[in-house]
Amino acid sequence: GTGSSILSALQDLFWLSKSKLEKQLQIISVLQWVLTFLIMGIACTLILMYILCTDCWAIAALYLAWLVFDWNTPKKGGRRSQWVRNWAIWRYFRDYFPIRLIKTHNLLTTRNYIFGYHPHGIMGLGAFCNFSTEATGVGKKFPGIRPYLATLAGNFRMPILRDYLMSGGICPVNRDSIDYILSKNGSGNAIIIVVGGAAESLNCTAGKNSVTLKNRKGFVKLALQHGADLVPVYSFGENEVYKQVIFEEGSWGRWVQKKFQKHVGFAPCIFHGRGLFSSNTWGLLPYSKPITTVVGEPITIPQVDNPSQKEVDFYHTMYVDSLVKLFEKYKSKFGLPETEVLEVN
């Protein structure tokens, strides 16, 4: 009677509180990552400079001395930490959207791979969660494969940030780093390159599926030189989590973005998500829209020390066709209409 009713009410209250707590933890986990993405490098640099001017200068000096000694580590595969990759915070990060990783084919541990990740989105949230953490089970789905998410080399010049990135298996997207991982790190390596880069991020908008790929052939040449198989990857929903102001070609806004991209390496985007306390206000938090990353079938690539342009073009065409087929096969399963077409620019 009354006792059962009270117990039932208490149980309902408990589960309601637990649900709210889970949601708050999810928001905190995403917020810390967004702040890391936007300001951690600059903030850590300023803090280090400040410490050098205090009585604790010796601590900063020791770190800087070690930084000089450790400078080339990012170019040699980095220093990943399975402990960091398995932090519980990444599971809350995953569940906020949620983010899922779909495996379509097995990968051989006797081969190396270059994953082409599409689209870039604003921050590459799916790329980070799926390949720099174990939240979606990449290690279990692809046993024996070590994923390395490649990002701007400039991030590895920032104190503290560089170590944080390396702990997740993130490496610089430059020739030295990629050559080392594919030629001097054994087999079973998978480098994830967000092929569209900054140029693609400038055109990312909700409701639009387009990739910058037609003239992006450097990753194909690298695959041929190392005999690394190419794997197309498409993230459905990556463009939906932020809303961006798109500047038309020829406008002053696009001119500024391109100049910034040319000299700094990335393009400043004007975007917004939801607020910290309400989804009806603007803020830096991404919208909680599902992101589903599908890893396609590997394309076997022969090793050619000096590939001709004809060979690069041939395998690039094969890669583009494979990506389009992957999109066509899975688009309706993840909420897109049958009439939706992947725009390849």
Side-chain angles (χ1 to χ4, degrees), residues 107 113-118 229-233 295-299 319:
L107 299 181
Y113 301 90
I114 292 180
F115 286 19
Y117 184 91
H118 313 270
D229 294 348
L230 288 171
V231 182
V233 179
V295 180
E297 181 178 5
I299 302 168
Y319 176 86

Side-chain angles (χ1 to χ4, degrees), residues 33 37 93 97-100 117-131 149 194 200-201 204-211 233-244 286-287 289-294 327 334 336:
W33 189 86
F37 182 91
F93 182 96
F97 296 93
I99 296 173
R100 289 193 297 159
Y117 184 91
H118 313 270
H120 184 286
I122 295 293
M123 295 185 183
L125 294 158
F128 171 79
C129 185
N130 285 308
F131 302 112
L149 177 60
V194 186
E200 190 173 84
S201 68
C204 104
T205 184
K208 183 178 181 181
N209 289 281
S210 66
V211 296
V233 179
Y234 197 84
S235 255
F236 294 90
E238 184 72 63
N239 286 344
E240 310 299 317
V241 295
Y242 279 110
K243 294 179 180 178
Q244 181 181 192
Y287 294 104
K289 304 285 187 178
I291 299 174
T292 306
T293 303
V294 184
F327 178 85
F334 303 120
L336 297 179

Side-chain angles (χ1 to χ4, degrees), residues 52-93:
L52 279 171
C53 301
T54 68
D55 293 338
C56 298
W57 64 268
I59 297 174
L62 284 172
Y63 176 81
L64 290 173
W66 178 81
L67 187 62
V68 172
F69 174 78
D70 192 59
W71 190 253
N72 289 323
T73 299
K75 299 178 183 179
K76 298 180 179 180
R79 188 170 44 247
R80 76 174 54 222
S81 166
Q82 286 302 116
W83 175 64
V84 173
R85 287 174 61 89
N86 282 285
W87 277 352
I89 195 171
W90 305 132
R91 295 193 289 276
Y92 290 113
F93 182 96

Side-chain angles (χ1 to χ4, degrees), residues 114 175 178 193 195 213-226 230 307 309 312 316:
I114 292 180
R175 184 62 185 261
I178 293 172
I193 299 176
V195 179
L213 184 57
K214 278 184 180 179
N215 297 315
R216 300 295 176 103
K217 301 180 181 181
F219 73 106
V220 178
K221 186 175 182 179
L222 281 170
L224 282 164
Q225 290 173 332
H226 293 284
L230 288 171
Q309 189 59 49
V312 172
H316 181 267

Side-chain angles (χ1 to χ4, degrees), residues 228-267:
D229 294 348
L230 288 171
V231 182
V233 179
Y234 197 84
S235 255
F236 294 90
E238 184 72 63
N239 286 344
E240 310 299 317
V241 295
Y242 279 110
K243 294 179 180 178
Q244 181 181 192
V245 177
I246 304 292
F247 293 102
E248 297 295 330
E249 289 292 338
S251 66
W252 67 270
R254 181 54 63 99
W255 181 84
V256 170
Q257 288 177 322
K258 287 188 173 181
K259 285 293 183 182
F260 205 91
Q261 177 189 340
K262 180 180 178 180
H263 296 291
V264 182
F266 68 93

Side-chain angles (χ1 to χ4, degrees), residues 103 105-113 115 138-148 181-182 185-190 226-229 231 298:
K103 169 187 173 181
H105 291 79
N106 292 323
L107 299 181
L108 300 175
T109 57
T110 55
R111 300 285 293 174
N112 284 324
Y113 301 90
F115 286 19
V138 64
K140 293 179 180 178
K141 291 176 180 177
F142 299 104
I145 302 297
R146 292 180 298 277
Y148 293 87
I181 292 170
L182 295 180
N185 202 41
S187 59
N189 302 293
H226 293 284
D229 294 348
V231 182

Side-chain angles (χ1 to χ4, degrees), residues 150-163:
T151 188
L152 289 174
N155 289 325
F156 296 89
R157 301 187 187 103
M158 300 284 190
I160 312 300
L161 175 63
R162 67 189 293 276
D163 303 290

